[in-house]
């Protein structure tokens, strides 16, 4: 089969190769990958910045969707013909994060999805909603599950609560869509009026232009009658964190989305403590959360937002596109 | 002021009287009642079946809404002109139910709202959403707070979950509306096709005619791909409970709405235990839940469903109307 | 190897047999079983009352502990020499109960532990605390995990709360020990003064002789200054349930321990609802709960209570012993 | 009555004064204060660093205990002769923190307890356990409730979990005692071997000398078989925070105890996120938590740790004593 392999760290070392077709063993399924989506983690992995000890060569990219074309002995959960996506951490089936989840992630340390086929254990895939295209289904494993697990599984978002979403990247837009679906107010922060308009069409109740309002936390407080927001989808930038803390209602939860690099800035301790704020690391989620999310996506007929789609042969360009700053939705590669 | 007073138990002993206007003391507010709504508890109270030891005379009816026309010394939470509703349990401000909440309920043991004015402590009222009429605001304190507290505060309802609502009474329709608002599937069970059609317009995904499908739990299981529902709003009837248990998904929660009288029938222990089902008593909720609910109602522009409205003078007829079985929404009395 | 096999339902049809030694496949481990413990479910299974559709022959008994003597290809979680117990539901690793957990239980539908060897998937075993004997370790999978999951994992038992434990069977004594470990008050209900004395030595704060106090719920209320208890370990008998409801504090949780047969009696709806009680089916628990429990047992140096131990050859007598009513701890069979 | 009053900010401006005895109004109780305890917040308040806008003069100090000597009209919760402590945030009765709790705290903005008498609303006091002396009871309102609310109410601490406690100040020792009571492992970090010995006598499983082990997080990881701890009682120092993050197990919770001044240092984002850690502001707790804690203290016969007791006349010296760094327990002033 055709695949892209990383021979040594660096985007320029991501090469198309021809490798033997993988074969499903006991309990495994063979998936014909139709599309993958990219996350910042994939870029950091390729650059050697996510885990410099990752053995190479590696087929990168964690998120992909496709059709089951063969199953190994003993498989009962999945059938040939099922439309599935891989789960990011193959060993995280339910409940809270475990250490072993970290060593079971696709696209490093385990082989990824940037290939025509992948073999996964039957426990490591979920069925995707029927109404989604392959490209749409491929956007779910990291970005959507991160947003869902934070706001819904862990955050118990309620109708009438307010969510502040920073930016319009993959996790941000899923957070916006899920929060709107759950009956919450959503305030989106972006440096682009055009993006704010698109966010409004996705269900945002309010948009704040972060260039026009550098003290945007005041706008947030005004818009919530001084109360502040219940949840922040925080991109962890040095300039935003202190403002996020001030924008929170008591007991507010700041979900810090990872892999944006750098350290967190110093925190305004006094404000954070007096509000009993929670600063919480967001790190994808379990298969159980993925399945619950899929039921919600199916029930609502929701569609993920795709910004751009590249053909398989232009996978390197797709990864490079991720480096450009401001985004609106996911970058996808169509494989077949 | 004019009021209705219960001199001795029995609907026929509910009499219009002229009593002195109440005066707000330290920390109190005076509310000009514009509308009240009726709950089954009010009827049982009048009949002497809710609490036969209730001292009389009593101004009955717990749920009412009106305008603050005066405040006592030291009041800071509320201002003259505020549109408010009383909270059912005056001492239940937040957190879990306490014994003292039970002795602080309006319409018995404390005086109720079936009067032109009521004095409440400033901690015992909440502001109602601006877009609601007085009649609509008056429906909230018991029925809406019960549905909200069960499904949202305690039940952590998620988008994509499924809720089975039995009937179309006050609590049932609020449960339907809140569940739809939270992105859940709602299945309504009713003996009337006409009511099912109206429920669909309120957001129900599916209706089941309980006369056409006496084994309605099979229809529920079929509709959920054999999985069952995550929540049941259970009216506790002898014929439905065993079916509700069988209609539940593992970990399903059956919220038993009170005051319908009688005992629960025997439970199908084996099925209930193997599913780790939760059978949970629903009993209104705290002021904090009421306030969170009001934010959600305001954000969504939601309107409660009123079946019928009586003038103040026909309060006895209004109570008698409650006794007739099948309903669709709330019964309201307009006072001023 | 030697095993006991059920050829047809009935204790008298449980026969010693010689069967081929099981071999560990990909991902499997071979366990030399040293001891098993019995649960009422095992007896019901043998009698054909738990699941009359269970295919036979079957090696019964779900709970056993032993040493890993071989591992199949690809095994990484477990090593030869590890002291392990099987988990009751082989597919319930973490999080909430799923339907597939029910079809993955040992001792039916899957083969059980009443044999010299068992093969389990490496995900289906947990290491047992070093300080426990084989007999003690064998008591954990059903009874201890049920008590732990109810009170600790799901019930969030706090220091200073009160737990009412009915009887002195396997689950009851584990509940007593875990509750004492967690800093809770424990009240034990038993028809035997001798058993109450032994319960006191295990950490019970108070014992109530249910023969001397048929209205024992009054004694409970008196002992808790009228407040009632926060948790009941309820054996589900027809005579106790209504009393348990009256013995509960507001928000009390009644954990109904399964497999005692029969239906639940009618419930006192009004009291249960006004207290916002929770009646919750208890059904073992996940591997994650089992592992957390083992950490607590190890940290505390706790020892399970074994009432009687039978040699392997007297397995039938051991099962018959379970039928006799009143117990104090677990029945164990020593295999090697 | 005699009191200490702050005329202007600065410890030197804390002066003994004679002021009129306070009188209980409607719903109030008059408390004869027997002892108060000091918290860092009291010192910061006196220095004008906690809230520079605090109106003066002020009777400082939030935590005190005493006997009810008179009750105002309408009081039902409390009786003359009751032994009570004030709750820190007078308006925080139950549930989650609210903005109004912040403006209802004793010792600023409301008058404090460094006086012979205090008047509080009947809702603003709790009964203290019978076995505690006045000095012991006075230590509870801030330090003990902060530790309890973090680990128990919010943190759902389980038997067998591990808690890392930094230092041996008031909150730290209560956290140690409550964690031990709940069946948890406790690791104490201190720069003093003598204090570690005393901590062991209070129930600590392990002590780490932070001078001998500057890389103490490695010792923690070794002691937990590489797993890390489930909870950290974090004093928020610039040198410890990054180590605390590395010392945590996945899903670990770092409870940041406030009022130690300064900003939090930069966080190690990558480690924190990959572990789904929670960094949570700890801010005292509700009356409901206080009452639950008192039940646990009473049940266990637990005694708070008092480091030093000053007579009323030496209140200024007591406050100054707080400034000296390393402590072991609470500083108390005996008033009568």
């Amino acid at each position: 089969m055709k695949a892209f392999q990383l021979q040594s760290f660096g985007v320029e070392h991501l090469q198309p190769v021809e490798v033997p077709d993988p074969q499903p063993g006991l309990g495994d399924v063979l998936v014909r990958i139709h599309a993958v989506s990219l996350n910042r983690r994939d870029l950091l992995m390729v650059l050697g910045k996510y885990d410099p000890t990752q053995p190479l060569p590696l087929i990168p990219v964690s998120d992909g969707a496709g059709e089951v074309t063969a199953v190994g002995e003993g498989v009962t959960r999945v059938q040939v013909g099922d439309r599935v996506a891989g789960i990011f951490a193959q060993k995280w089936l339910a409940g809270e994060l475990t250490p072993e989840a970290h060593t079971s992630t696709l696209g490093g340390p385990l082989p990824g999805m940037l290939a025509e086929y992948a073999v996964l254990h039957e426990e490591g895939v979920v069925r995707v909603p029927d109404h989604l295209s392959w490209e749409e289904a491929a956007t779910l494993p990291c970005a959507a599950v991160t947003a869902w697990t934070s706001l819904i599984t862990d955050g118990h978002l309620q109708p009438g609560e307010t969510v502040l979403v920073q930016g319009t990247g993959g996790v941000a837009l899923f957070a916006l869509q899920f929060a709107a679906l759950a009956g919450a107010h959503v305030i989106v922060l972006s440096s682009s009026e055009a993006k704010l308009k698109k966010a409004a069409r996705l269900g945002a109740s309010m948009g704040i232009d972060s260039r026009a309002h550098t003290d945007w936390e005041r706008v947030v407080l005004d818009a919530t009658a001084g109360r502040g927001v219940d949840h922040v989808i925080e991109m962890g930038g040095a300039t935003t964190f202190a403002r996020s803390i001030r924008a929170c209602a008591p007991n507010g939860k700041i979900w810090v989305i990872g892999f944006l690099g750098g350290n967190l800035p110093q925190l305004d301790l006094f404000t954070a403590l007096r509000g009993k704020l929670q600063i919480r690391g967001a790190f994808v989620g379990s298969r159980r959360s993925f399945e619950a999310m899929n039921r919600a996506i199916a029930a609502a007929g929701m569609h993920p937002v795709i910004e751009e789609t590249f053909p398989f042969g232009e996978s390197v360009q797709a990864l490079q596109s991720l480096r450009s700053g401001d985004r609106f939705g996911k970058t996808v590669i169509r494989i077949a």
Side-chain angles (χ1 to χ4, degrees), chain A:
Chain A
M1 69 171 181
K2 292 198 179 98
F4 275 81
Q5 238 182 20
L6 193 66
Q7 311 291 344
S8 60
F9 292 123
V11 175
E12 66 280 16
H13 298 122
L14 185 62
Q15 302 278 343
V17 292
E18 188 73 32
V19 294
D21 281 14
Q23 302 297 327
L26 183 70
D28 292 334
V29 300
L30 178 67
V31 183
R32 174 73 179 101
I33 307 295
H34 286 295
V36 301
S37 81
L38 300 181
N39 295 286
R40 186 158 291 269
R41 178 185 183 273
D42 298 317
L43 178 60
L44 295 172
M45 186 66 77
V46 165
L47 295 173
K49 292 182 176 172
Y50 185 87
D51 178 6
T53 70
Q54 167 69 39
L56 299 181
L58 171 75
I59 296 176
V61 179
S62 62
D63 292 9
E67 188 179 341
V68 174
T69 54
V71 300
E73 193 189 340
V75 166
T76 58
R77 275 177 53 90
V78 182
Q79 294 181 304
V80 170
D82 280 356
R83 302 173 77 242
V84 300
I87 57 172
F88 174 60
Q90 291 280 302
K91 292 277 190 179
W92 190 4
L93 304 188
E96 296 206 326
L97 178 65
T98 58
E100 72 178 337
H102 286 303
T103 54
S104 71
T105 52
L106 299 178
L110 301 184
M113 306 294 252
L114 196 53
E116 290 179 316
Y117 288 94
V119 161
L120 299 171
H121 194 272
E122 67 164 330
E123 301 281 1
V125 298
V126 296
R127 280 185 198 75
V128 294
D130 291 341
H131 74 290
L132 298 187
S133 69
W134 289 119
E135 287 88 342
E136 290 170 333
T139 65
L140 302 178
C142 278
V145 173
T146 296
W148 177 270
T149 301
S150 300
L151 291 178
I152 308 295
T153 311
D154 294 344
H156 297 307
L157 182 64
Q158 291 185 1
E161 289 191 326
T162 302
V163 179
L164 172 65
V165 173
Q166 296 181 358
T168 55
V171 176
L173 291 191
F174 278 116
L176 155 53
Q177 289 179 291
F178 293 141
L181 189 56
H185 267 296
V186 186
I187 303 176
V188 174
L189 185 68
S190 168
S191 59
S192 152
E193 279 293 342
K195 289 191 174 67
L196 289 175
K197 269 180 198 153
K198 288 198 275 184
R201 285 198 291 271
L202 286 171
S205 316
M206 180 181 177
I208 301 177
D209 184 333
S210 57
R211 284 181 310 188
H213 301 280
T214 50
D215 59 342
W216 49 260
E217 78 273 24
R218 306 237 136 256
V219 184
V220 169
L221 288 169
D222 287 350
T224 54
R227 208 180 149 267
V229 302
D230 300 290
H231 297 268
V232 178
I233 298 295
E234 165 68 49
M235 293 305 159
T239 56
T240 66
F241 209 93
R243 294 185 191 282
S244 295
I245 285 176
R246 292 196 292 273
C248 270
N251 315 296
K253 294 171 190 68
I254 301 181
W255 303 94
V256 185
I257 305 305
F259 309 130
L260 298 191
N263 282 331
L264 278 185
Q266 291 194 327
L267 301 182
D268 174 358
L269 180 67
F270 189 77
T271 304
L273 292 173
R274 269 179 63 99
K276 287 198 70 177
L277 303 193
Q278 301 182 18
I279 299 163
R280 300 181 57 158
F283 183 76
V284 200
S286 70
R287 187 182 76 191
R288 194 79 53 92
S289 283
F290 198 160
E291 291 169 335
M293 178 188 84
N294 283 350
R295 280 196 288 272
I297 290 175
M302 193 191 109
H303 288 276
V305 178
I306 293 172
E307 178 162 35
E308 50 185 358
T309 305
F310 291 82
F312 191 23
E314 297 177 19
S315 293
V316 172
Q317 291 89 323
L319 260 177
Q320 279 166 334
S321 171
L322 256 201
R323 293 174 118 161
S324 70
D326 224 11
R327 315 193 60 71
F328 197 88
K330 297 288 295 177
T331 297
V332 170
I333 298 169
R334 175 80 196 196
I335 294 184

